[in-house]
């Protein structure tokens, strides 16, 4: 069967069941197979392609068989989507790493669960966490921020960004408590990391030490 026929079936998005090619061969498929080797064909379209089933017997597939084929196609579609998501996450991470090298502020990137995936050198210095030890940890464990007046923990920036869906500025009078207990006043902001399709796959935080500025 020509590629254009498969494309037509895929675009229609409907199951195409040719029950017996010896009786009805509207796509002239018989010439693609050894004589008599295939009598029935089912094509199940899904977003990334078409799943095909052949049989040497005429009309062998019941409605239940086709329902199971649809389920399999759905599973394949989900698997392909996950692979694409991982590819896009890897690409975004690589772009982040390249960008971080040229930024003088602290930068931390997390996944959607709020677990650290990238720190730059400035972040390592301000938080006291080397990237190798910070990776995979919940953000509040690495980026420990409190209100300098009340000493209450600040809202997790990842939660704030994911809830709003756009860039946000953090509250004033924020103090970052480093791993060794030292403190510095910071100004920070957060923004979603999006795939090319607009899906949010994480959050990036940018912050800087403003201790000296606030003392002036």
């Amino acid at each position: 069967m020509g590629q254009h026929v498969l494309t037509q079936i895929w675009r229609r998005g409907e199951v195409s069941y040719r029950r017996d090619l010896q009786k009805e061969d509207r796509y002239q498929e018989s010439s693609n197979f050894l004589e008599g080797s295939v009598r029935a064909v089912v094509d199940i379209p899904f977003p990334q392609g078409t799943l095909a089933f052949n049989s040497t017997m005429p009309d062998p597939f019941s409605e239940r068989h086709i329902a199971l084929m649809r389920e399999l196609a759905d599973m394949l579609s989900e698997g392909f989507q996950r692979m694409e998501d991982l590819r896009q996450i890897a690409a975004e991470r690589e772009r982040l790493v390249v960008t971080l090298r040229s930024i003088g502020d602290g930068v931390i990137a997390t996944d959607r669960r709020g677990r650290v995936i990238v720190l730059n050198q400035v972040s390592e210095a301000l938080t006291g966490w080397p990237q190798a030890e910070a990776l995979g940890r919940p953000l509040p464990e690495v980026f420990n921020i409190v209100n300098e007046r009340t000493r209450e923990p600040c809202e997790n920036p990842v939660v704030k960004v994911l809830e709003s869906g756009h860039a946000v500025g953090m509250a004033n009078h924020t103090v970052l408590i480093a791993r060794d207990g030292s403190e510095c006043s910071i100004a920070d902001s957060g923004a979603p990391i999006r795939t090319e399709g607009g899906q949010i796959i994480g959050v990036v935080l940018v912050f800087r030490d403003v201790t000296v500025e606030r003392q002036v």
Side-chain angles (χ1 to χ4, degrees), residues 89-103 107-110 117-120 193 201-206:
I89 289 172
E92 290 295 332
R93 187 179 187 277
E94 181 61 26
R95 282 194 284 270
L96 270 174
V97 169
V98 172
T99 302
L100 294 184
R101 295 173 183 156
S102 62
I103 294 179
V107 179
I108 300 177
T110 76
I117 57 175
V118 173
L119 283 86
N120 69 348
I193 303 171
I201 57 175
V203 172
V204 60
L205 306 174
V206 180

Side-chain angles (χ1 to χ4, degrees), residues 33-45:
F33 308 111
L34 293 175
E35 186 175 355
S37 62
V38 174
R39 292 285 299 275
V41 179
V42 176
D43 285 312
I44 311 289

Side-chain angles (χ1 to χ4, degrees), residues 13-87:
E14 300 174 353
V15 173
S16 178
Y17 183 13
R18 282 82 78 204
R19 299 175 182 273
D20 189 347
L21 295 181
Q22 289 187 6
K23 294 182 178 179
E24 181 183 3
D25 189 9
R26 60 182 180 274
Y27 298 132
Q28 290 78 53
E29 297 172 80
S30 298
S31 60
N32 296 326
F33 308 111
L34 293 175
E35 186 175 355
S37 62
V38 174
R39 292 285 299 275
V41 179
V42 176
D43 285 312
I44 311 289
F46 61 99
Q48 295 82 8
T50 302
L51 189 61
F53 296 86
N54 301 336
S55 175
T56 58
M57 302 293 293
D59 200 12
F61 303 118
S62 67
E63 290 299 319
R64 175 171 173 73
H65 289 142
I66 293 177
L68 291 172
M69 294 173 190
R70 286 179 178 272
E71 290 183 16
L72 179 57
D74 288 342
M75 292 172 63
L76 282 173
S77 178
E78 183 178 349
F80 281 124
Q81 185 59 54
R82 288 180 179 177
M83 291 174 61
E84 176 62 16
D85 289 345
L86 289 174
R87 185 195 68 77

Side-chain angles (χ1 to χ4, degrees), residues 55-208:
S55 175
T56 58
M57 302 293 293
D59 200 12
F61 303 118
S62 67
E63 290 299 319
R64 175 171 173 73
H65 289 142
I66 293 177
L68 291 172
M69 294 173 190
R70 286 179 178 272
E71 290 183 16
L72 179 57
D74 288 342
M75 292 172 63
L76 282 173
S77 178
E78 183 178 349
F80 281 124
Q81 185 59 54
R82 288 180 179 177
M83 291 174 61
E84 176 62 16
D85 289 345
L86 289 174
R87 185 195 68 77
Q88 293 193 16
I89 289 172
E92 290 295 332
R93 187 179 187 277
E94 181 61 26
R95 282 194 284 270
L96 270 174
V97 169
V98 172
T99 302
L100 294 184
R101 295 173 183 156
S102 62
I103 294 179
D105 291 341
V107 179
I108 300 177
T110 76
D111 60 18
R112 280 188 58 86
R113 297 182 302 165
R115 297 187 179 276
V116 175
I117 57 175
V118 173
L119 283 86
N120 69 348
Q121 291 181 335
V122 176
S123 293
E124 290 180 321
L126 292 176
T127 65
W129 283 88
Q131 176 166 278
E133 296 182 39
L135 295 184
R137 293 181 182 272
L139 178 67
E141 188 175 337
V142 175
F143 190 64
N144 180 15
I145 52 176
V146 300
N147 183 286
E148 65 180 345
R149 295 175 176 175
T150 67
R151 309 304 294 181
E152 291 292 324
C154 295
E155 181 182 3
N156 187 336
V158 172
V159 175
K160 192 172 182 179
V161 171
L162 292 179
E163 287 180 348
S164 67
H166 54 73
V168 298
M170 302 302 154
N172 293 328
H173 309 293
T174 299
V175 168
L176 171 65
I177 303 177
R179 192 177 187 182
D180 63 3
S182 60
E183 300 182 1
C184 66
S185 297
I186 61 170
D188 55 349
S189 61
I193 303 171
R194 298 181 183 273
T195 66
E196 293 177 0
Q199 179 185 5
I200 297 177
I201 57 175
V203 172
V204 60
L205 306 174
V206 180
F207 58 99
R208 59 190 177 90

